[in-house]
Amino acid sequence: MSSESNGHVSDISMLFLYFRKKSVVQIIFLYQNSCCKLFFCTFAAVFSEKNHHIESINKHREIVEGLRLGLPIGLGYFAVAFSLGIIAKKAGLTVSIGFMSSFFTRASAGEYGVYTLVAAGATYAELVAMCLVTNLRYTLMSAALSQKLSPATRWYHRLLMACCITDEIFGISIAHPGYTPPVFTYSAAFISTIFWASGCAVGIMAGGMLPASIVAALSVALYGMFLAIIVPPGRQDRNVLYTLIVSFLLSGLCTIVPVVNTWSSGMRTVVLTVLIASVAAWLKPIKVNVDGEA
Amino acid sequence: MEKHDIILFILVAIIVTNLIRIMPMVLIKGQIRNQFLRSFLYYVPYVTLAVMTFPDIIQMTLTPLAGVITLLVGIVAAWYGLGLFPVAVICCAVAYITDFLLV
């Protein structure tokens, strides 16, 4: 295990050495590969103990699946967290504080808000209000995810899974067929969070080194993933398709219409989600199944 | 802000952000039977992700038109069932190329 972890560390230093020489995507791939090996070994070691053979095979499969889906998410995170790191640096965060902050918060809009408040020297009341508004969507996601858990899921798994929720981890956890096993969410969340936190740390260290065109192109990765999550169900379920079209239209309108266009993106997300999902549920209720799938 | 204050500030942010995530999971026990609530929670992820994608994707690229093209190409790629990673890579490439051509 120690040689694995050395490889991991040297990859980070390589990231800086070759920052200008190699293409960013190549470097991120290099970084990804070593992370993948390292965390697969860790997870396999932690979760394979004390389990029956078949159960552990299933768990391994879920862990691998979680890592497989967590990697592209991590790639997108790295880019976004990198730009977040540039803002964090302006607010006066050190590399280690930025890393820890991103590791435990894992909220793009929320962290952005927090760092701007740090820069402005705001009060704690403002901080709490900002956290509530920019992260309120996680309340809705947590409620939705609670319906995807097997009734046998232990309380500590519920707590940990709730803490794992980010927009993307929620997306793939919801998209998991049947009940979502905790290990699947953990492995995806863990690997993507490592990228998220290191992206922020690298952003604080090396911010401004990348050309704006590359930062812009990498930032779009996240939205590509969102599309890959929401569009295929829209193709299968007409009601979802209508909901998506209405969401796009109203969301676009909200940035143009006066008063509403002063809302933060977190606020807009919460208001539109409650509004549109309520109307959709009222007009087109789903058939209630007995199994875990809503 | 002093370094000490920043750490406290961020600690509070971490606690609040994670409490927001934990509360519903703790309060909602077992399956919800109410049909409206279940339908509501079924639609929530789609609406949330859609609202976060648009118009933000257009603001991310250097020129808005590049964002629109990226969005359309992304939707088509996702419609034909390419996975998370392929769609993400295609979007990055399209955004970079269109930005390059338009700026």
Side-chain angles (χ1 to χ4, degrees), chain A:
Chain A
M1 222 43 215
S2 62
S3 67
E4 288 281 354
S5 95
N6 285 339
H8 171 66
V9 171
S10 73
D11 273 347
I12 294 178
S13 53
M14 274 175 75
L15 193 70
F16 298 112
L17 276 176
Y18 293 101
F19 216 80
R20 285 171 187 275
K21 289 181 191 167
K22 286 195 171 186
S23 84
V24 178
V25 175
Q26 254 179 313
I27 292 164
I28 292 174
F29 265 112
L30 213 99
Y31 184 45
Q32 268 192 345
N33 279 336
S34 79
C35 278
C36 178
K37 271 184 238 155
L38 175 69
F39 295 118
F40 178 69
C41 293
T42 319
F43 268 88
V46 170
F47 287 103
S48 65
E49 284 178 343
K50 298 177 195 169
N51 279 310
H52 297 299
H53 186 58
I54 297 169
E55 250 182 66
S56 84
I57 287 177
N58 276 338
K59 271 191 178 169
H60 280 169
R61 208 170 45 209
E62 295 295 350
I63 291 165
V64 171
E65 185 64 10
L67 290 176
R68 199 180 67 80
L69 293 175
L71 280 178
I73 291 175
L75 180 68
Y77 276 5
F78 190 89
V80 175
F82 187 90
S83 40
L84 194 66
I86 297 170
I87 295 155
K89 187 183 186 176
K90 283 180 192 155
L93 271 78
T94 61
V95 173
S96 55
I97 296 177
F99 185 91
M100 295 314 273
S101 161
S102 289
F103 190 90
F104 288 109
T105 319
R106 297 176 318 284
S108 52
E111 277 182 50
Y112 175 80
V114 171
Y115 299 152
T116 52
L117 288 185
V118 171
T123 62
Y124 285 98
E126 281 176 284
L127 172 69
V128 172
M130 167 76 86
C131 285
L132 283 176
V133 173
T134 51
N135 298 311
L136 205 56
R137 64 180 187 279
Y138 294 136
T139 302
L140 297 173
M141 292 181 187
S142 178
L145 188 60
S146 74
Q147 299 303 296
K148 282 284 290 171
L149 299 187
S150 149
T153 310
R154 297 289 181 88
W155 66 270
Y156 50 85
H157 280 312
R158 286 178 181 270
L159 288 192
L160 257 180
M161 277 181 90
C163 287
C164 285
I165 293 176
T166 61
D167 305 324
E168 301 73 21
I169 298 303
F170 168 73
I172 60 166
S173 297
I174 278 290
H176 191 286
Y179 291 128
T180 310
V183 283
F184 170 79
T185 303
Y186 295 159
S187 57
F190 196 71
I191 189 138
S192 56
T193 301
I194 291 291
F195 278 102
W196 177 250
S198 4
C200 186
V202 173
I204 293 174
M205 279 188 272
M209 273 173 74
L210 280 183
S213 59
I214 291 196
V215 173
L218 288 176
S219 316
V220 168
L222 222 57
Y223 301 109
M225 265 177 267
F226 287 166
L227 291 174
I229 290 171
I230 60 178
V231 172
R235 195 181 177 180
Q236 284 165 8
D237 185 343
R238 198 155 281 247
N239 295 332
V240 172
L241 185 64
Y242 296 148
T243 309
L244 290 179
I245 294 170
V246 170
S247 305
F248 276 146
L249 289 178
L250 286 185
S251 179
L253 263 181
C254 276
T255 52
I256 304 170
V257 177
V259 181
V260 180
N261 64 9
T262 57
W263 290 356
S264 70
S265 70
M267 180 77 176
R268 193 180 76 225
T269 306
V270 171
V271 172
L272 285 184
T273 300
V274 172
L275 184 79
I276 299 171
S278 300
V279 173
W282 178 50
L283 292 177
K284 300 283 178 190
I286 54 158
K287 292 184 190 104
V288 174
N289 302 330
V290 222
D291 61 11
E293 283 178 83

